[in-house]
Amino acid sequence: MDLITTIQDLIRFRTETGNSTEINKACTYIAEKFTGTGVLVEIFQSTASPVVFLRNTDTFDFDVLILGHIDVVPAADTMFEPVIKDGKMYGRGTLDMKSFAAVALNSMEYVAKHKLPLKFGIMLSTDEEKGSKSTDSFLTAYPQIKAKIVLDNDVGGDITKIVSKCKNPVFVKLIAKGKEAHGSTPWAGIDANELLLQTWQNIRKIYPYYAADLPQPKDTWFDTVHFAKITGGQVSNIISNYAEALLDFRLTENSSLENLEQNLQKCLVKGVEYKIVSASTPVVMDEQNPYILDYKHFAENILGRPIEFEHIGGATDSRAFAVKGSVVIMHSGTGDGMHAADEYVDIKSVEQIADIQIKFLEHLAKQLEKA
């Protein structure tokens, strides 16, 4: 498999989340790459978007499972034609995360070709950018699936850092109910927009506001929230009788959903209620875990420099396996512009991630043979 060509091919599929025609084409492209290799390929279909599931074994109990996705956020037409310049590949999905989906496919080809004694699999979802309902459907259909080690390349953007902690994303809807009145007589109504903003001000007393033009915290490992969406009012001259907002909380492992709900109750003003839309769990790994240290060793040898651990606020689909006891190794290549018009990946870093994975898989296979 030519890694760079595979990345370019994947980028040309306009797999914006929900574009089922292009997503199905991309899934078929991936499946056809493993025709005649002995690799089992399933394009799992459900009411959600499909999941591409590849494995070299009949079992659902894996030594190593790689997670990823092939859907992308919307972009201009030109971003679906990859451009290579000065050692970088530009295009939608180069960093998030078709380059690393291709790395996973490259690893599967290597494991199959060299018959490594590993129970090895890959799960590629197709709606990660909008909540990973396809992953949820897949795991519901196959509740027995588990993995000793999960490799997750959908993090960060700096090959010199391995992520050891991810926060818990919790989405909360605030709902404010007021009373309609003419805009010229506010005393005759109850402004739902106002109630919502009063509640929001109370929330900010507990969870402060941060922005690029404000002093930056030295340590970012604390709970945060941002105002993701707000809706209220019908026309300009009527007091709003309904308003709602979606809040995006990111909680560390030191917090709990119960604690968040206690804080929300303190912040609500009369006429406002809340609803937990979704909640997950933080991914927290022991930086001294032997598998993680082995992986780190190979990464440092290939890069020729020390690797650091870092903590990020973003969520990862690997949380579904972390709660099952998997060792999750979160490491990605270098790039920038994720979800932006100048998205790119450093090509050398992609090739290095591919080398690191193969060296780690070879080492793990030898360990398991001896065990």
Side-chain angles (χ1 to χ4, degrees), residues 334-348:
T334 298
D336 206 352
M338 189 180 294
H339 294 190
D342 58 349
E343 181 180 359
Y344 76 87
V345 73
D346 180 88
I347 294 174
K348 184 178 179 180

Side-chain angles (χ1 to χ4, degrees), residues 1-125:
M1 180 183 298
D2 185 285
L3 180 61
I4 304 305
T5 298
T6 302
I7 296 169
Q8 292 171 311
D9 288 346
L10 288 173
I11 289 168
R12 291 187 179 103
F13 292 107
R14 190 162 188 154
T15 56
E16 293 157 311
T17 314
N19 187 346
S20 57
T21 299
E22 287 293 294
I23 285 172
N24 288 333
K25 287 180 182 178
C27 291
T28 300
Y29 167 85
I30 291 169
E32 289 177 348
K33 274 194 165 294
F34 292 93
T35 300
T37 64
V39 174
L40 303 175
V41 183
E42 177 184 358
I43 300 177
F44 174 82
Q45 298 283 357
S46 69
T47 53
S49 206
V51 170
V52 185
F53 182 40
L54 305 96
R55 52 193 168 126
N56 69 342
T57 173
D58 288 328
T59 185
F60 286 85
D61 184 0
F62 293 96
D63 296 316
V64 181
L65 185 66
I66 300 184
L67 301 184
H69 64 93
I70 59 170
D71 64 309
V72 297
V73 298
D77 293 347
T78 54
M79 290 195 72
F80 293 93
E81 183 55 49
V83 174
I84 295 177
K85 182 180 179 182
D86 299 327
K88 300 174 181 177
M89 186 185 298
Y90 293 84
R92 177 57 79 234
T94 48
L95 182 61
D96 186 20
M97 61 159 290
K98 288 182 176 178
S99 297
F100 306 107
V103 167
L105 301 178
N106 180 73
S107 293
M108 175 60 83
E109 182 189 65
Y110 188 90
V111 169
K113 181 178 179 181
H114 294 271
K115 301 186 186 304
L116 295 188
L118 289 173
K119 294 174 288 183
F120 185 64
I122 300 172
M123 273 178 56
L124 298 175
S125 66

Side-chain angles (χ1 to χ4, degrees), residues 245-272:
L246 183 65
L247 311 185
D248 176 2
F249 286 88
R250 302 293 167 132
L251 308 181
T252 74
E253 78 279 14
N254 301 315
S255 298
S256 67
L257 192 61
E258 180 182 17
N259 178 250
L260 172 62
E261 293 198 76
Q262 289 172 353
N263 286 339
L264 288 171
Q265 286 291 353
K266 296 175 188 176
C267 296
L268 299 178
V269 301
K270 185 179 179 180
V272 180

Side-chain angles (χ1 to χ4, degrees), residues 63-64 118 149 291 360-368:
D63 296 316
V64 181
L118 289 173
I149 299 167
Y291 293 124
F360 176 71
L361 293 171
E362 287 178 329
H363 174 73
L364 184 63
K366 290 177 183 176
Q367 281 188 319
L368 294 177

